[in-house]
Amino acid sequence: MQLFKSLFYKPLSIDLNVTSSNGFHLRPVAQFVHTAKTFSSDIHIMFKNKKVNAKTVNTILSLSLDTHHTFTLTAQGKDAEKSINSLKVLFEKLMQNDVELEKIHKNTNRYEGTTLEGDIICKGIAIASTLNYQTELIQRDNRLTFKEAVTQTSNMLLEKYETEKTNTQNAEIYLAQKELLDSLNEKSETIEALELLTQKEIHALKDTNLSAKVSDYKDILQQVKTALGLEIKLHLSKENVILLANDLLPSEITQISNSSVQGVLLKNTSMNSHTAILLRSAGIPSLIMDTKQIPLNQTIILDASSGVVVLSPDKEDIQKAITLQETESIEKNNAYDKRYEPALTTQGNKISIYANVSDVESTSLAKEEGAQGIGLLRSEFLFKSVKPTLKTQTNAYQEIFDAFDDVTIRTLDVGGDKALPYIDIPPENNPFLGIRGIRLFQTHPIILEEQLHAIFLASQTSLDTKIKIMFPMVSSVGEFTQAKEIAHAIADKHQINITNIDFGIMIEVPSVLFLMDKFNEIVDFYSIGTNDLSQYLFAIERTHPSLKIDILSPVIFSAIEMIVNKATKPVSICGELASNPDAIPKLIHIGVKTLSVNAKSIAQTKEIIRHV
Ligand code: PEP
Ligand code: MG
């Protein structure tokens, strides 16, 4: 068969670039493999002289594909072309959708009792007695062979993936475990062999950046054992408890989510582990910390909102924690109930809250979550895999324009960390300082011109919507005037009236701060992109693996203050800083009147403003 394929079908190949700052890790790899398996062709991945089968997760993971690595995908067989095309589109989508973990902001609640600090997995407060992790073995009758047990477990994980699809991260975890199991199964004939192989894999993961997968391996093994009648159950008491463990298996989070467990303290997990993701999704207050000093079977306070555990809390501490607990839950519910109400400061000043959206679905969510309008439409979603036609673009813009009566659309912002497969930007030593955003007019003008044309066409049917076009990565006055001239030329050519459309810029490059007088004369509005502005202010790449930008640095607030003071046109903020609870009061005091935040942060942002 192999010979047959190689004789009759020409091998096809394509280079793919890992653009996600998380690398090509287990969850996206599992989705990639899941799709690769639907093709009959032989599919391989080549990287640094190693060639591996693209239909098993383990082999791909063994390549340790990280950010900026380029690998070659090859396919040979009847459906080679189709497989290459589909996998390319899927891979790019996986890279674009692979979100970085949001930074969790610590509250600063103070207690009388001794406190120990930890890293927050999931915020929240629990007051209960501590319980050490214990399990019990439950033996049941077994009528399955090893292979049947593996198939049953694999099918169950697939079913969970398919039913959980609405909660993507959870769903991806089940698929990742299924694909891991399938690749282990290929090499094991008995449960003992599977156990040995699992131990080998766990050993190999030690001290690597994939060590968070250890609990998945253990989990898979245990799930097969359970199918064989050897179930291990968590031993929990009826009383409310805070569970102390070295680590938990992802499947154990399901066991504790509707139990007496009020909080969890784990010694050995990471923020990105599947256990941590599931704890967050279940809303269980939890920390990563050394649990050695925590007494067992004694009441403690787990204030995961402040990232501390309070040992031997006195009456006042307990009362304080109860009040905080009640306030947190009331605030959460109240804030959500009031999401459609305006955000007025204590002085009665109205702050407008807009949404950052990245496609039609997130636009609907923004509506549901109480956005006043769209402050940033990241238009890249249409351009991810293939160049969209004029019609595709026009239809999508129309749908989004119709949803709100105030929409700011940002023109294509590629370059830097956002590469497009069909746009050939010559290699750059510093892509973040290269052809990015508005600079694309210099190298690929047609793509931006066509986008402007599509926006203008869409604007004609959404006459009640205020449409604002925003150019990203502007660093000089000339770039903006040239872009605006091109826009007018396109409108004239197609006889479209664009007098109602506003044109503005994102402030992301520090040079703009010193050109405000000139920009004031030509732009209709500004939006501060703090994500990029901070990377350019500090000369620290926003995706840098070890260097971190201090997002709350006074430098950033001074820059914003300078912009607000100099601007004679409306200013909004659309970077992540706009939804940072510690930053919001400072931004309001500086005089910022409009914030644009992710849909899910709208209710909380409004509530914080109501207390400023
Ligand atoms: C920003 O830079 O702050 C911004 C909102 O744009 P993006 O994160 O899409 O680069
Ligand atoms: Mg930006």
Side-chain angles (χ1 to χ4, degrees):
M1 187 62 191
Q2 184 66 36
L3 182 70
F4 183 80
K5 272 183 196 172
S6 45
L7 279 177
F8 288 95
Y9 299 108
K10 234 175 78 197
L12 298 177
S13 70
I14 189 174
D15 282 352
L16 295 173
N17 185 253
V18 182
T19 51
S20 161
S21 55
N22 301 324
F24 195 22
H25 61 97
L26 177 57
R27 290 195 306 283
V29 167
Q31 292 180 68
F32 189 85
V33 165
H34 190 59
T35 304
K37 282 173 162 176
T38 61
F39 298 103
S40 63
S41 297
D42 288 332
I43 306 175
H44 289 92
I45 284 182
M46 286 197 288
F47 180 64
K48 286 191 182 161
N49 300 325
K50 258 177 103 179
K51 184 176 175 184
V52 301
N53 183 359
K55 294 185 182 177
T56 60
V57 280
N58 269 356
T59 53
I60 301 183
L61 290 172
S62 71
L63 298 174
S64 304
L65 288 162
D66 214 339
T67 324
H68 302 318
H69 282 159
T70 299
F71 64 86
T72 306
L73 179 70
T74 66
Q76 187 169 21
K78 204 163 82 188
D79 51 10
E81 192 177 344
K82 203 166 160 220
S83 68
I84 288 258
N85 289 340
S86 309
L87 289 169
K88 173 179 171 284
V89 171
L90 173 71
F91 179 75
E92 277 145 11
K93 198 167 134 210
L94 291 171
M95 289 295 102
Q96 299 271 356
N97 292 349
D98 192 32
V99 286
E100 259 179 88
L101 188 63
E102 268 182 55
K103 200 167 171 276
I104 304 177
H105 306 284
K106 281 188 180 181
N107 299 355
T108 44
N109 304 325
R110 307 223 175 278
Y111 297 91
E112 293 304 318
T114 311
T115 55
L116 299 175
E117 275 196 57
D119 293 325
I120 304 173
I121 301 175
C122 175
K123 280 184 152 191
I125 294 174
I127 311 154
S129 181
T130 49
L131 179 77
N132 208 18
Y133 175 85
Q134 280 174 45
T135 53
E136 54 187 315
L137 176 69
I138 301 173
Q139 244 171 311
R140 302 185 199 284
D141 278 352
N142 171 39
R143 292 196 191 91
L144 300 182
T145 64
F146 169 70
K147 285 292 173 191
E148 283 167 348
V150 170
T151 309
Q152 183 178 303
T153 311
S154 175
N155 289 345
M156 180 201 69
L157 288 166
L158 183 63
E159 201 182 306
K160 276 187 170 181
Y161 164 67
E162 279 167 352
T163 48
E164 275 257 8
K165 261 189 183 157
T166 44
N167 187 345
T168 353
Q169 271 206 332
N170 287 12
E172 286 168 5
I173 291 171
Y174 298 127
L175 185 67
Q177 291 199 341
K178 178 209 174 284
E179 292 301 340
L180 263 187
L181 174 60
D182 290 355
S183 65
L184 292 175
N185 177 35
E186 281 178 16
K187 297 184 227 151
S188 356
E189 293 302 321
T190 60
I191 187 71
E192 291 77 18
L194 180 69
E195 188 148 16
L196 223 88
L197 189 60
T198 309
Q199 277 161 5
K200 237 172 89 187
E201 295 285 349
I202 290 175
H203 188 73
L205 288 172
K206 239 181 167 185
D207 302 326
T208 71
N209 57 354
L210 293 172
S211 57
K213 275 197 299 131
V214 168
S215 58
D216 288 303
Y217 276 105
K218 289 186 182 166
D219 209 5
I220 292 163
L221 177 66
Q222 185 46 51
Q223 290 183 60
V224 177
K225 282 187 174 176
T226 304
L228 286 170
L230 296 167
E231 188 181 354
I232 288 195
K233 258 193 115 180
L234 260 178
H235 185 77
L236 298 172
S237 84
K238 286 203 172 63
E239 305 296 314
N240 285 350
V241 290
I242 291 171
L243 190 63
L244 272 56
N246 189 36
D247 195 2
L248 286 173
L249 302 180
S251 65
E252 285 173 328
I253 306 303
T254 325
Q255 284 184 49
I256 64 167
S257 54
N258 284 318
S259 72
S260 58
V261 175
Q262 304 296 299
V264 169
L265 298 172
L266 297 178
K267 206 167 146 195
N268 276 325
T269 190
S270 72
M271 287 299 167
N272 279 315
S273 70
H274 290 168
T275 302
I277 292 173
L278 292 170
L279 278 169
R280 276 193 287 276
S281 136
I284 300 172
S286 40
L287 297 179
I288 303 176
M289 68 186 302
D290 188 355
T291 51
K292 202 168 57 223
Q293 293 178 54
I294 301 176
L296 292 177
N297 308 317
Q298 284 193 29
T299 300
I300 60 163
I301 296 169
L302 162 58
D303 180 348
S305 300
S306 306
V308 296
V309 155
V310 189
L311 305 181
S312 329
D314 61 15
K315 264 194 190 148
E316 270 110 82
D317 278 343
I318 300 249
Q319 192 46 53
K320 181 169 185 184
I322 292 173
T323 314
L324 285 166
Q325 211 176 26
E326 285 169 358
T327 322
E328 274 194 5
S329 86
I330 293 169
E331 269 176 6
K332 224 168 158 184
N333 294 340
N334 274 356
Y336 196 68
D337 289 347
K338 290 199 289 185
R339 68 194 185 280
Y340 297 121
E341 293 175 26
L344 300 174
T345 64
T346 49
Q347 306 281 315
N349 296 324
K350 183 173 177 235
I351 308 297
S352 302
I353 305 300
Y354 284 68
N356 293 347
V357 298
S358 51
D359 50 27
V360 177
E361 290 79 47
S362 53
T363 305
S364 324
L365 182 68
K367 189 106 217 164
E368 214 165 279
E369 295 287 322
Q372 183 175 330
I374 302 300
L376 168 64
L377 162 58
R378 289 182 165 104
S379 61
E380 292 77 57
F381 75 101
L382 283 168
F383 294 81
K384 277 178 188 166
S385 43
V386 287
K387 193 170 152 294
T389 62
L390 183 71
K391 191 160 173 29
T392 311
Q393 287 193 63
T394 310
N395 291 346
Y397 300 149
Q398 232 161 29
E399 210 173 325
I400 295 173
F401 293 166
D402 285 344
F404 283 94
D405 50 22
D406 191 342
V407 178
T408 301
I409 173 167
R410 178 176 75 183
T411 56
L412 186 60
D413 185 16
V414 289
D417 58 334
K418 304 163 190 154
L420 284 189
Y422 51 90
I423 290 191
D424 208 11
I425 295 176
E428 296 171 313
N429 283 339
N430 294 301
F432 278 108
L433 305 180
I435 306 295
R436 245 199 100 173
I438 197 168
R439 296 173 181 176
L440 210 63
F441 271 121
Q442 295 171 31
T443 55
H444 298 78
I446 310 283
I447 194 160
L448 289 179
E449 286 169 18
E450 202 165 88
Q451 183 178 32
L452 289 169
H453 186 192
I455 298 171
F456 296 158
L457 287 172
S459 75
Q460 291 196 299
T461 52
S462 310
L463 295 172
D464 295 333
T465 304
K466 178 76 207 162
I467 292 161
K468 301 168 185 162
I469 296 178
M470 175 158 78
F471 294 107
M473 190 67 188
V474 174
S475 58
S476 73
V477 172
E479 284 166 339
F480 177 76
T481 45
Q482 188 204 13
K484 217 176 141 178
E485 272 165 28
I486 293 172
H488 280 284
I490 293 163
D492 289 347
K493 185 173 158 195
H494 298 284
Q495 298 183 338
I496 304 172
N497 181 356
I498 58 163
T499 43
N500 283 331
I501 295 183
D502 280 354
F503 287 88
I505 60 167
M506 287 199 75
I507 304 187
E508 294 167 301
V509 184
S511 59
V512 175
L513 272 71
F514 306 96
L515 296 166
M516 291 294 294
D517 292 340
K518 297 223 170 69
F519 275 114
N520 279 334
E521 290 168 18
I522 51 176
V523 302
D524 296 312
F525 65 92
Y526 301 102
S527 187
I528 309 176
T530 51
N531 309 341
D532 275 310
L533 182 60
S534 45
Q535 87 160 335
Y536 294 125
L537 278 171
F538 287 101
I540 294 179
E541 220 179 81
R542 60 194 273 185
T543 56
H544 197 282
S546 57
L547 297 173
K548 292 277 165 275
I549 302 168
D550 174 11
I551 189 70
L552 294 172
S553 158
V555 171
I556 297 168
F557 292 100
S558 298
I560 295 171
E561 190 162 17
M562 185 168 156
I563 295 166
V564 170
N565 289 342
K566 288 203 163 186
T568 56
K569 299 290 169 63
V571 177
S572 69
I573 298 189
C574 64
E576 294 300 310
L577 196 69
S579 57
N580 181 316
D582 295 321
I584 295 167
K586 292 186 190 153
L587 296 174
I588 307 299
H589 286 130
I590 285 174
V592 176
K593 303 255 175 336
T594 307
L595 299 174
S596 189
V597 303
N598 292 336
K600 282 282 174 202
S601 303
I602 293 172
Q604 190 196 25
T605 305
K606 285 188 172 181
E607 196 54 29
I608 293 171
I609 292 166
R610 293 184 187 116
H611 293 88
V612 177

